Each structure stands twice: as C-alpha cells, then as structure tokens.
Amino acid sequence: MFTIKNHLEIENGHLTIGGVDAVEIVKRYGSPLYVTNEERVRKNFRSYQDAFPEADLYYAAKANGNLTILKIMAEEGAGADVFSDGELYMALLAGIPKKKILFNGNSKSDSELLMAVMTGVRVSVDSFDELRTLSSIAKSEGRVVDIAFRVNPDVSPQTHPKIATGLKTSKFGVPHEEVIRAYKEALDIPGINPVGIHCHIGSQILNITPFAEAMNKMMDLVEQVSRLGVKLEFVDIGSGLGIPYEKGIRVPSTADLANLILPIFNERCVAAGINPKLILEPGRYILADSTVLLTTVNTMKEAAKKFVGIDAGFNLLIRPTMYDSYHYVVVANKADAVAVDTYTIVGPICETGDILANDRELPQIEKGDIVALLDAGAYGFSMSSQYNGRTRCAEVLVQKGDVDVIRKAETYDDLLSNQVIPARFL
Ligand code: LLP
C-alpha cells in the first residue's frame, strides 16, 4: 500500500479512499459516483482551525452543500457563510448556530432579507440600496438585524478572473472609499445594528501576499469605523486559500496564511484598543481534496487526439470547462500501472468544451476502466446540473472502510419533478 496523493492510497493496484476500494465501490453504488472521505474533511477543518486557534471558521456552504457535510461542519464547531435562502435553510437544518451564520450575497431578494431577519442570522450587506431595504424590512417586523458590510477592497488576488471577487470592477461589496459613509448611515437608520466588517478577495489563491494587502486595507477601515462609535464584534477576511490540484506543486499552507495576516490583525487591534473576533470562510480547503469523482470509460476514440469518453462531463464537474481547472486523473483499476500514452478525457455532453482533462500521460486505457478525478469535493457536485437530460449521480461518504450513501442517484422522475403538463397535452 502506498500513498498517491494526500489521503488517497493504492492497494493491490486499485485506488482506495478512506479504506474503501474505488473499483468495488463503483460496482456497488454505480457510476459516476462522488466519494468523500469524512476523516479528511474533519482533518482539513481541524488543521485550518489549528492555524487560527482564536478565529471562528465559517464554512462556505457553496463549496459543498450536502446536508451531511454541513452536519459534519456543525459538529466541528463551524459557522457558515451562506449565499442564498437555500444555503441558509440547509445550514440552520444542519444545526449551525444562527449567530454563526453570515448571509452574504450581492443581489438578495426581499424575501431572502426577510428570512435573514426572521431567523436572526447576521447579514453581510452588499450595497446602500440593500441596507435601506433591510432596514425597512427589519423595522416593519419590529426586529433589529446584526450586519456587516461587504467591503470591495480593490485588491487583485492573482487568480482566475472568474474567481476574483475583490477587484474594483467586481460586482461584490461596497467600494472601500464609501464604507465609512455606509456605517454612518447604518448607525442612523432603524432596525440595523452594525457589528462586523467583511471582505473576500477571491478563490484558489496561490500567492498569499494579496491577503496582507486586504487585511491592511480592512484594518484601516476597522479603525475608522470604530472611531465612529461602532463596536465591531468581528472582522471577516473571507477565504480563498488555494490547494495543489496539480500533484507535487507547493502551495502556501494555512500556517503561512496565519503567519502573514495574524500579526497585522493582532497588532492593529491592540493599537486601536479593540478586540473583535477574526472570522475566515474556507470552503475549498476543507472539502476539495476529500473527494474523488469516480467515472467509467464508455468508449475510446483515436482521432486528432486519443479521446477517452467517460460517463461524467461538465454536468457533474464543471470546473475544467468553466475555469480551465486542472484535476489530477488516476485510472483507479490500474492505479500502479505506468503511463504509456497521452489521453484527453472527455464527457458525454453535447458541447466541445466538455473536456475534463487534456493531454494526460496515463496507463493504457480501455472501455470499462474506472477514471477517478481527484480533488472534486469543492464546487463539484454543488455546481452540477441536469444539462442534456442527465440525471445527477449519487454521493457517498466513506469513513475508515464504512460507506454511507449521502445522496441517492437521481432517476428520470427527478428530470420531471416540478414539471407540469398542461391539461391539453394529456
Ligand atoms: N466566502 C465568500 C464570500 C465567497 O464568495 C467564497 C467563494 C468563499 C468564502 C469560499 O472560498 P474558498 O475558500 O472556497 O476559496 N466555483 C469556483 C470558486 C468560486 C468561489 C466563490 N466564492 C471554483 O470552482 O473554483
């Protein structure tokens, strides 16, 4: 037995995850299949918490919103960053305390704001307009809602443009030059209690220096906001730490991030005479490498390239199509065989961009082989769709050799669910 990547091992030529043979698990639960190792999820959470022992971690539910995953997060003591009414519903259902839920979003509906007010969670307010709407909703319900402002710090995170969120031109947050005016207004209008400040600069960040820039800009604002008389209970610096999708590349650790931003945070809090809680909102770091997407080879084709047609496409893992993301590939039933050829792994979707992995050196592949796409736990299933009339696959959770289904595979009924046939078509 030897390790292939992180917690993933090879035993008797087969990929194993959480003590379970990938080939056997596909035989039993079908293909494609998302397989998550519970132990790895917990380990990732704890190592993040160890690096930031004083901070609260608000798990970013968008990364993987399965209820069982949220329950694991609740057990670990996480809060939640939620971005919709549905994520809020799920986080509360999982038992995450309402005071540790921050409702983010740049375009929340009035009914979402009402839900935030009635459930008593905190809201990260994204604009002046939203502040005024939230105030009138809270006032008419006779409630006061705890808020932070989402700051647009105008910091480049040096990541894929589609996942940079704190650029001046990004749709998120209040421009940092207007933040003081926003807090002044928040102090004046009814139903609003400003208690925090929030930003998030982007995702899959591999050079962490922009976090220092963001932290400094945030602490400039924290000082000014405190001088207005706002008692800040928390400073939420968001998240975005990248992970090594490509085997062997060195990436900054949670400790590197802590060593960079904690001194700035701590020193500047002391200087300002304040004691807010630091919050971080990791998603990818906790879930990504806990999960593999197991797929089966439907067909092989030699054309301009050697194409491997598998049974999952961007309907189940959209990251390569959407962000040109790299996911490491293992042929799970030949996991210790040597690479002999160059293959391009494609899905069954009727789109040219449905490519999961380009030009990979892999062992001889044939129909029926099990192709594993690694690091699929964050923004994998949560971004899936039924495009092309494809039912979504099952998700299982493995833990020290045991397997639990945490989502059943969809059936044709799920393709029809909520569709209504007008009487004249019956
Ligand atoms: N907090 C906020 C406000 C966010 O917008 C995000 C991610 C997170 C936390 C979590 O960031 P993380 O720790 O996962 O980097 N679908 C893309 C990633 C989109 C991230 C959106 N926001 C991908 O697959 O790479």
Side-chain angles (χ1 to χ4, degrees), residues 201-252:
I201 59 171
S203 199
Q204 186 52 18
I205 297 170
L206 296 174
N207 168 8
I208 54 174
T209 33
F211 283 110
E213 195 191 334
M215 183 57 100
N216 269 312
K217 282 192 166 173
M218 289 293 280
M219 294 314 288
D220 289 345
L221 292 171
V222 165
E223 284 165 16
Q224 294 173 56
V225 169
S226 303
R227 280 202 295 273
L228 289 179
V230 176
K231 195 182 166 314
L232 286 176
E233 293 173 25
F234 69 88
V235 176
D236 182 339
I237 195 74
S239 166
L241 191 61
I243 65 128
Y245 285 100
E246 286 180 56
K247 199 178 167 190
I249 67 160
R250 239 200 67 74
V251 299

Side-chain angles (χ1 to χ4, degrees), residues 110-111 113-114 117 132-142:
D110 288 7
S111 67
L113 293 175
L114 177 63
V117 168
R132 290 163 201 159
T133 308
L134 184 63
S135 164
S136 73
I137 291 172
K139 191 177 158 211
S140 66
E141 296 298 330

